[in-house]
Amino acid sequence: PRVAVLGILFETKTKGQVADAAFLKAWISTYKITYPMVMDPGFKMGAYYDAGETPFNMLVELSSMKILHRHTGSNTASMLSAIKKYIK
């Protein structure tokens, strides 16, 4: 399967403050992000998780858009395990 990474920002480091283009650009620069990033100022991703539970990661099968795995928190082991399971 194809794998792609997409980062989504909906707020700044200040809880409740909506991310704007300047913050997104600074975020990319600060963390040296090399994958695509987009903003979600209306927090449409809120349909999938609570804003208080960040970071949030979701593994999606691109051809069907089926959600294969959801993970909240900074423990990357769960996400890496899911990726290995579906990339076989």
Side-chain angles (χ1 to χ4, degrees):
R2 283 184 45 211
V3 175
V5 174
L6 175 66
I8 303 172
L9 284 177
F10 66 93
E11 67 183 2
T12 67
K13 292 181 181 180
T14 303
K15 187 174 179 142
Q17 182 177 2
V18 176
D20 60 14
F23 182 79
L24 178 65
K25 185 176 180 179
W27 183 273
I28 291 168
S29 176
T30 299
Y31 296 103
K32 298 176 180 30
I33 305 294
T34 59
Y35 49 84
M37 294 284 302
V38 297
M39 293 181 307
D40 181 11
F43 192 47
K44 293 183 183 202
M45 289 299 294
Y48 302 100
Y49 74 105
D50 183 302
E53 298 177 357
T54 57
F56 170 72
N57 298 286
M58 182 168 32
L59 185 60
V60 178
E61 203 286 313
L62 295 177
S63 63
S64 68
M65 296 307 290
K66 178 182 176 187
I67 298 170
L68 303 174
H69 180 79
R70 298 178 193 196
H71 174 77
T72 56
S74 58
N75 180 352
T76 57
S78 171
M79 195 64 189
L80 291 174
S81 176
I83 290 169
K84 288 176 184 176
K85 174 182 175 182
Y86 289 105
I87 290 187
K88 292 181 179 181

